[in-house]
Amino acid sequence: RGFTLLELLVVLAIVGLAMAGVGLALRDSGGALLEREGERLAALLEAGRAQSRASGVAVRWRADGQGFHFDGLPTQWLDAQTQVRGTGQLWLGPEPLIGPQQVTLAHPSWPERSVRVATDGLRPFTLEAAP
């Protein structure tokens, strides 16, 4: 009048598959946060580059402990804990062609993850997977 071992194994297998499906459906918040920061930074760098070309004035991007700056105008990360690995400076113009440049973003909550925002100097800044 109870469940057989085979019936219990089938139920456990179904529950396990359902849990695996839910786990795969949920996106890793660390990766999503860094991707969002990277995409935003790529857009801001392109806007700074366009502003530099339009005004004829060199625009410098710098990262510091509190965020980052364009020509002394402070701009903050979406999450205050986002960090820059390596060099924290990019030159964005005023010439339409700039040298290849990149910046790598990381977050202390997910130290194994990072994203890179890079350009070859001709194309716009884009988000790339960091090695």
Side-chain angles (χ1 to χ4, degrees), residues 6-128:
L6 184 58
E7 290 170 332
L8 287 174
L9 287 175
V10 169
V11 169
L12 287 175
I14 292 171
V15 169
L17 288 173
M19 293 295 289
V22 168
L24 292 174
L26 296 175
R27 188 161 185 189
D28 177 25
S29 61
L33 174 68
L34 282 176
E35 284 180 20
R36 218 173 30 249
E37 288 279 22
E39 288 170 356
R40 178 174 175 254
L41 180 59
L44 289 171
L45 291 173
E46 278 308 305
R49 194 171 170 189
Q51 178 184 358
S52 175
R53 279 184 270 156
S55 66
V57 176
V59 173
R60 184 175 65 163
W61 178 88
R62 288 183 298 117
D64 60 22
Q66 287 76 41
F68 56 90
H69 305 275
F70 283 97
D71 281 343
L73 300 174
T75 307
Q76 302 300 318
W77 299 110
L78 294 174
D79 185 316
Q81 292 183 331
T82 300
Q83 301 170 345
V84 172
R85 286 188 187 159
T87 182
Q89 240 177 206
L90 300 175
W91 288 96
L92 303 176
E95 288 78 26
L97 298 177
I98 60 175
Q101 299 185 63
Q102 69 179 13
V103 62
T104 303
L105 303 180
H107 197 280
S109 299
W110 305 281
E112 70 284 352
R113 302 199 49 123
S114 63
V115 296
R116 183 173 53 206
V117 178
T119 182
D120 62 359
L122 182 59
R123 293 186 198 95
F125 281 92
T126 57
L127 187 65
E128 300 176 353

